[in-house]
Amino acid sequence: MALACAADFAVTLTDEAQLDDFMASGTEATADDLSLFVLSGGSNVLLPASLNAVVLQPNMRGIHVTAQTEHYVDIEVMAGENWHDLVVYTVNQGWYGLENLALIPGLTGAAPVQNIGAYGVQLEDRLQYVRAYHLPSKTWHNLSTTDCDFGYRDSIFKRAPNTWLISRVGFRLHTDPTNILASYGDVQTVAQRYAEQQDRKQPTPVDVMQAIIEIRQQKLPDPKQLPNCGSFFQNPIIDQSQFIALQATYPAIVGYPMPDAMVKVAAGWLIEQAGLKGGGITPIFTHKQQALVLTNHAPYQATQADVATAQHYIADVVYEKFAIQLSREPVWVNADGSIGHAEHVV
Ligand SMILES: Cc1cc2nc3c(=O)[nH]c(=O)nc-3n(C[C@H](O)[C@H](O)[C@H](O)COP(=O)(O)OP(=O)(O)OC[C@H]3O[C@@H](n4cnc5c(N)ncnc54)[C@H](O)[C@@H]3O)c2cc1C
C-alpha cells in the first residue's frame, strides 16, 4: 500500500542460523522486550507510521530439487524467493501445478500464512511441508499440511501472528503437460488462444499461466504503478433471509450460497452500488475498474490513519444503504507490532 512507516529495529535474515544467533544473543532490542514482527514482501500489510517492534525479514534464497521421478518433482523453496518468479521458473522447467497462482505479489515464505489461492488452486493443494521457527520456544519445526491446519485464506500461522517464522516451503509438482485447471472465468478461452498461437491443440500449463497473467493484469492495478493491497474488503456473509429481502429491492445483487442458510455477498458490487467506485477520501480511493481494491494516491506520504478514514467512510456508506458491515482483508499492524483484527477501528 506504500504507506509511510519507520521501524525501530529491522533484522534481515539471509540464513536460518542467523535467527538462532539473534534469538540467543539478547540484543538491545530483545532486552527492551520489544515485540517481534515478521515482514515479508509487505504486499498484504497495513503498517503504522511508527513501528515500535523488531522487524524480522526472512530473506533466505534458494530453490532445490529434493526428489524427482518421471511423474513428479519435489522442490524446497527458501522463504525469500519472490513468489511470481518461482511460479514462472517452475513452469518453464516443466514442473507444473503453481501456474494458477501466477502474479500473486509477495514472497514464498508468506504464501502459507493465508494459504494463497486463485483460479481454483490453493497453496495447500501443492504443499508438502513448511519449515518454521517457533518464536516463543525458540525451536525449529517441520510442519505437514495437516499441521498447518489450512482453511480458506487461513492457517495456524495466520491465527497466531508473529508466533512462527517460515523459512522453507516444500512442494510436490507434476510433469504432465495435459493436466491443467482452466475452468475458472475466462481462463480456458484465453489459454486456448495462447495454445493456438503456438500451434498447440490443447492449452498446456504454460498457456494457463500466460492467460492468468493477462487476466490479472487487466483486472487489478499493479501495486508498483498504483499502490494497493489487492482485495481490501472481505466478501461479507449474511443470513439468507436478509439476502432475499435485499433481492426484492436490488434484483441484481450478487451472492453465493454458503452452508447453514448463509449467503456470501460480493463486496465490490455493494461498494459500486453505493456509488463509491473511484470514491473514497483523499488520498485513498477505490479503484475505478475494481471497487474492491483501495489505492493510495500519495505513496509513502499517506499513513495507516488515512486508510482507516477511507475504510470507515466506505463501510459507513455501504452500511447505510444495505445494513451490511464490511470488514478489512489485509493484515492491520499496530504500533507495537501486534496484529489488529479485521474490524479494528482506529
Ligand atoms: C495486487 C494484489 C493481488 C493479490 N492477489 C491475491 C490472490 O489472488 N490470492 C491471494 O491469496 N492473495 C492475494 N494477494 C495478497 C498477497 O499477495 C498475499 O497475502 C501474499 O502471500 C503476501 O506476501 P508478502 O510476502 O507480501 O507478505 P507480507 O504482506 O509481508 O505479510 C503478510 C502476513 O504474513 C506474515 N508473514 C510473512 N512472511 C512470513 C514468514 N516467512 N513467516 C511467518 N509469517 C510471515 C506477516 O507477518 C503478515 O502477517 C494480493 C495482493 C495484492 C497487492
Side-chain angles (χ1 to χ4, degrees), residues 1 36-47 56-60 79-81 83 100-119 121-123 130-133 135 152-153 157-158 160-169 216 220-224 226-231 293 329-333 337 339:
M1 201 72 184
L36 301 169
F37 172 68
V38 184
L39 179 68
S40 176
S43 64
N44 207 33
V45 289
L46 296 168
L47 296 168
L56 295 175
Q57 275 194 297
N59 196 27
M60 308 84 162
E81 290 293 334
W83 176 259
N100 292 44
L101 303 176
L103 221 60
I104 297 181
L107 307 183
T108 303
V113 176
Q114 68 155 8
N115 187 17
I116 57 168
Y119 298 95
V121 172
Q122 302 197 90
L123 188 87
V130 166
R131 179 157 173 82
Y133 187 85
L135 293 162
Y152 179 76
R153 302 288 182 278
F157 313 110
K158 188 161 178 186
N162 296 329
T163 304
W164 297 92
L165 186 143
I166 297 167
S167 67
R168 308 180 198 188
V169 187
R216 289 184 71 108
L220 287 170
D222 179 349
K224 289 197 189 92
L226 183 55
N228 71 85
C229 50
S231 303
V293 176
E329 188 162 308
V331 178
W332 183 273
V333 183
I339 304 299

Side-chain angles (χ1 to χ4, degrees), residues 187-204 206-212 214 218:
V187 176
Q188 180 69 42
T189 317
V190 181
Q192 188 66 43
R193 168 160 51 78
Y194 277 103
E196 282 164 15
Q197 281 167 6
Q198 300 295 322
D199 288 332
R200 286 194 282 265
K201 284 206 176 85
Q202 299 294 328
T204 64
V206 178
D207 302 316
V208 170
M209 178 178 75
Q210 285 185 311
I212 286 172
E214 182 183 314
Q218 281 166 6

Side-chain angles (χ1 to χ4, degrees), residues 141-152:
H141 297 259
N142 285 333
L143 304 170
S144 68
T145 311
T146 315
D147 296 332
C148 297
D149 196 19
F150 289 117
Y152 179 76

Side-chain angles (χ1 to χ4, degrees), residues 264-297:
K264 189 191 270 186
V265 183
W269 187 89
L270 297 173
I271 297 167
E272 202 176 325
Q273 294 305 307
L276 289 173
K277 201 172 191 179
I281 294 190
T282 307
I284 309 293
F285 300 99
T286 67
H287 191 242
K288 287 198 181 88
Q289 270 101 51
Q290 177 53 272
L292 201 54
V293 176
L294 282 197
T295 56
N296 175 7
H297 292 252

